[in-house]
Amino acid sequence: MGSDMKKRKILAEKTVDELRRLYPDASCSLDYDDPYFFLVRAILSAQCTDIRVNKTVEELKDIAGSAEEVLKLGEERLGEVIKPCGLYRAKAKNIIKTTSIFINEWNSKIPENIDELVSCPGIGRKIGNLLLGELYGIPALVVDTHFKRVTKRIGLTDSDDPSRVEEDVCEVTDPSVWISLGHMAVAFGRDICVARSPKCGICPLKDFCRGKES
Ligand code: SF4
């Protein structure tokens, strides 16, 4: 093992330990009802708060309570319902395409492997990994904007490319922590290591974080 890898492993261990102390109960803030509507929530969550997504999906379910009914709504009507989540035209298009694949190709069961998931338009690695972790408990790392920022500042990666960040962090952490590490990093990125003016003064990671601001 190279010395850089060794250093990153130690850094990763310290990071996981501190995040566990801060967020022992970190979990996904998207509500879970059934696998299909969880997938819808995941697609809607791009650039939108989980609170708004959860509320909008409840409204959607009052109108269309199953994948078949969502498909029947069609892009335009679906777009009107999900408008509060933003980017609604693209999201409606993705949801309709994905719903059709879910029903007709996946036999109404979300696949348990990432390659099949990302072959579906509208599902990238972030959503694919979220589904694997939350639906099946399969170790998978969800790299969102908070995760990317936090891990780069700390020094676990030098990359801004989500796939590379995922690779770098997976390389130095045990698969058993991947699901919770994603949730903990998001909570930490919202509370302390915020995008602008991170709260380094009160941050428990400041003794080993390379990105701390004085
Ligand atoms: S010390 Fe600052 S930059 Fe580093 S993790 Fe903490 S808040 Fe983020």
Side-chain angles (χ1 to χ4, degrees):
M1 196 191 299
S3 68
D4 172 63
M5 172 94 90
K6 259 191 204 162
K7 274 187 204 155
R8 281 196 304 118
K9 273 201 172 207
I10 294 168
L11 194 56
E13 246 171 61
K14 288 181 185 170
T15 300
V16 170
D17 285 350
E18 288 300 337
L19 291 181
R20 273 197 179 131
R21 285 201 309 112
L22 281 171
Y23 305 104
D25 302 318
S27 62
C28 182
S29 47
L30 287 174
D31 287 345
Y32 177 80
D33 25 33
D34 67 21
Y36 170 70
F37 279 106
F38 188 75
L39 166 62
V40 172
R41 285 172 207 271
I43 294 175
L44 288 177
S45 68
Q47 293 180 42
C48 181
T49 65
D50 292 349
I51 293 172
R52 186 170 293 277
V53 169
N54 288 333
K55 190 169 174 280
T56 303
V57 170
E58 288 315 309
E59 286 162 9
L60 170 64
K61 282 163 62 187
D62 286 342
I63 301 163
S66 66
E68 288 75 10
E69 286 176 11
V70 170
L71 195 58
K72 268 191 222 148
L73 279 186
E75 251 178 71
E76 207 173 312
R77 177 78 184 100
L78 176 63
E80 285 166 19
V81 182
I82 63 168
K83 206 168 183 175
C85 294
L87 306 171
Y88 67 97
R89 285 202 185 89
K91 287 179 182 177
K93 196 173 187 173
N94 279 341
I95 291 171
I96 293 294
K97 268 193 204 159
T98 306
T99 303
S100 170
I101 290 173
F102 173 77
I103 296 170
N104 299 311
E105 294 180 29
W106 294 345
N107 226 355
S108 299
K109 187 178 183 300
I110 307 275
E112 294 184 36
N113 78 76
I114 191 71
D115 293 335
E116 209 174 337
L117 284 167
V118 298
S119 71
C120 177
I123 300 187
R125 285 195 73 84
K126 185 176 84 169
I127 293 180
N129 283 339
L130 179 72
L131 293 169
L132 291 181
E134 296 305 303
L135 300 182
Y136 300 120
I138 295 172
L141 201 59
V142 176
V143 177
D144 80 334
T145 177
H146 295 294
F147 192 93
K148 240 174 43 170
R149 180 181 70 253
V150 166
T151 50
K152 190 174 180 191
R153 280 177 177 166
I154 293 169
L156 295 173
T157 183
D158 288 322
S159 181
D160 288 313
D161 170 54
S163 300
R164 188 60 210 268
V165 173
E166 183 185 336
E167 232 173 78
D168 286 346
V169 178
C170 284
E171 200 172 54
V172 293
T173 49
D174 191 87
S176 63
V177 304
W178 291 347
I179 298 174
S180 61
L181 180 56
H183 297 318
M184 293 187 297
V186 169
F188 179 63
R190 283 179 180 151
D191 292 348
I192 297 175
C193 194
V194 291
R196 283 184 201 168
S197 311
K199 300 169 186 167
C200 302
I202 58 154
C203 178
L205 280 63
K206 66 176 182 295
D207 291 343
F208 55 83
C209 172
R210 70 172 179 187
K212 69 172 170 285
E213 293 179 4
S214 46

